């Protein structure tokens, strides 16, 4: 049932090209190069009327939401707030009749996420779910559902569900920008073209998994490491860090690179591994300055860059290159080597990759 892989996690990592294809395929009109969402019950006019969006989720699904926030704000200029469900549900949130709530849950059964959904509905707020399980509580109770078509995810550490959630959020953001007219048809078509390339590009990254395995050998005995990035790279850093800590049990923290010097830089000393994502051109120079700061304290830095970037290697010790795509779409590619890194590090430490201690696949208690 593991299809020749030694764990469900590795199998599910390798299923990502298909999961992305299935999640975006039926939602792209290839002739018109635009997004269609036939499953939405509300009218376009209704959808276009929202002026504020909350994205509520837990764990990895919340991290997908952070990518979604940046993408929705960039493409539609609608303010989006992301919050963890366990906080949000007790917070007496501010709703208006122009508020849309998006809940994201792979299982569709996470107690806190479900409670946040129910609270919002009680207040008359429209809730759209992004979930992977047809017939789940979240799918049944939400007003609108966008399914991720990742197939069953068995490993506790979420991989293909995350990238599929991000893909579904791209679909939603593009659709919303189409009906609001915030992006031109050419801009939409360009993004769609690049989205269609992602599955093949993921396969390319997977074919080079051995590169990551070697780095895992290097970090498998460290006690602590750091992930840094800015904007979308920061959102992915959070996910890379969570993945690594939950299955390798190595302490790890993700930091917005510009925030390091406000405290965490004190922990950077000789040979501390720092994984630095640098795919976003608008803040690239700022990111390089932050890398220089950790290098100056002796950190060993593994950089992440787009293929064709010949500069980053001048500042860092090693670079993982991902195929070139639009900066907006980078998260779906950069997260793949980070998932592999978590997997290989856990395996090198002889741990149970699929069933990490203290964790459950579906958290149905609060
Ligand atoms: C981490 C992980 C968890 C889940 C979280 C939410 O790898 O899988 O952080 O993302 O428990 O679960 P769902 O998405 O089922 O609501």
């Amino acid at each position: 049932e593991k299809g020749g892989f030694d764990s469900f996690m590795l199998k599910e990592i390798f299923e990502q090209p298909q999961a992305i294809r299935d999640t975006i395929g039926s939602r792209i009109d290839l002739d018109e190069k635009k997004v269609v969402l036939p499953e939405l019950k509300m009218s376009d006019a209704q959808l276009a009327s929202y002026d504020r969006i909350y994205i509520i989720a837990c764990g990895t699904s919340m991290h997908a939401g952070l990518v979604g926030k940046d993408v929705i704000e960039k493409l539609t200029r609608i303010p989006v707030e992301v919050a963890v469900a366990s906080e949000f549900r007790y917070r007496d949130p501010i709703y208006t009749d122009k508020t849309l709530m998006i809940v994201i849950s792979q299982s569709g059964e996470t107690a806190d996420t479900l409670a946040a959904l129910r609270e919002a509905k009680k207040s008359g707020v429209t809730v759209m779910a992004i979930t992977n399980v047809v017939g789940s509580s979240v799918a049944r109770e939400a007003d609108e559902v966008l399914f991720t078509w990742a197939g069953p995810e068995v490993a506790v550490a979420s991989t293909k569900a995350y990238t599929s959630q991000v893909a579904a959020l791209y679909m939603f953001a593009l659709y919303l920008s189409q009906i609001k007219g915030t992006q031109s048809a050419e801009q939409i078509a360009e993004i769609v073209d690049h989205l269609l390339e992602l599955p093949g590009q993921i396969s390319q990254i997977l074919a080079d998994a051995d590169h990551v395995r070697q780095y895992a050998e290097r970090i498998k005995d460290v006690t602590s490491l750091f992930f840094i990035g800015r904007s979308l790279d920061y959102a992915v850093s959070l996910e890379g860090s969570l993945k690594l800590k939950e299955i390798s049990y190595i302490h790890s923290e993700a930091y917005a690179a510009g925030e390091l010097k406000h405290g965490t830089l004190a922990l950077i000393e000789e040979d501390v591994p720092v994984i630095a994502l640098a795919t976003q051109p608008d803040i690239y120079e700022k990111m390089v300055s932050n890398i220089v700061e950790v290098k100056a304290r002796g950190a060993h830095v593994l950089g992440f860059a787009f293929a064709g970037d010949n500069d980053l290697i001048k500042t860092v010790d090693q670079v993982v290159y991902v195929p070139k795509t639009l900066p907006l779409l980078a998260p779906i590619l950069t997260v793949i080597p980070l998932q592999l890194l978590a997997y290989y590090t856990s395996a090198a430490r002889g741990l149970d990759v699929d069933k990490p201690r203290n964790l459950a696949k579906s958290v149905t208690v609060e």
Side-chain angles (χ1 to χ4, degrees), residues 169-325:
L169 286 160
Y170 286 127
M171 294 294 105
F172 175 75
L174 283 166
Y175 188 74
L176 195 52
S177 72
Q178 283 168 202
I179 62 176
K180 288 184 77 76
T182 47
Q183 302 290 318
S184 68
E186 292 73 34
Q187 285 168 318
I188 301 274
E190 192 196 10
I191 299 172
V192 164
D193 279 337
H194 284 87
L195 274 166
L196 291 167
E197 282 179 24
L198 290 176
Q201 292 177 318
I202 296 172
S203 298
Q204 257 176 276
I205 297 171
L206 293 172
D208 196 24
D210 226 48
H211 191 95
V212 179
R213 189 207 295 261
Q214 286 163 27
Y215 187 75
E217 284 297 326
R218 190 176 198 288
I219 63 165
K220 73 178 186 350
D221 296 317
V222 304
T223 49
S224 184
L225 84 166
F226 295 86
F227 290 76
I228 58 173
R230 284 171 173 257
S231 74
L232 283 170
D233 286 333
Y234 171 52
V236 179
S237 300
L238 286 164
E239 175 55 10
S241 173
L242 176 62
K243 213 89 304 175
L244 186 84
K245 77 181 90 173
E246 75 171 316
I247 60 169
S248 78
Y249 315 152
I250 296 174
H251 168 253
S252 133
E253 279 184 54
Y255 249 77
E259 187 66 10
L260 267 187
K261 57 168 79 69
H262 300 286
T264 309
L265 201 53
L267 295 175
I268 307 294
E269 51 186 1
E270 206 58 40
D271 273 341
V272 168
V274 173
I275 296 173
L277 278 63
T279 66
Q280 299 298 305
D282 50 343
I283 36 78
Y284 186 87
E285 294 308 324
K286 302 286 171 196
M287 190 58 209
V288 169
S289 319
N290 297 136
I291 295 172
V292 170
E293 287 161 7
V294 296
K295 280 300 301 169
R297 272 89 190 165
H300 182 275
V301 181
L302 175 70
F304 273 55
F306 281 131
D309 176 333
N310 298 317
D311 291 326
L312 196 64
I313 189 63
K314 296 174 193 156
T315 317
V316 304
D317 297 282
Q318 274 173 266
V319 182
V320 170
Y321 293 101
V322 297
K324 185 97 178 88
T325 184

Side-chain angles (χ1 to χ4, degrees), residues 58-61 104-110 113 156-158 165 239 242-243 246 361 363:
C58 301
T60 285
S61 295
I104 309 176
S105 176
Q106 185 285 129
S107 62
E109 302 297 346
T110 300
T113 307
V156 165
S158 180
Q165 288 162 350
E239 175 55 10
L242 176 62
K243 213 89 304 175
E246 75 171 316
K361 180 64 183 162
V363 184

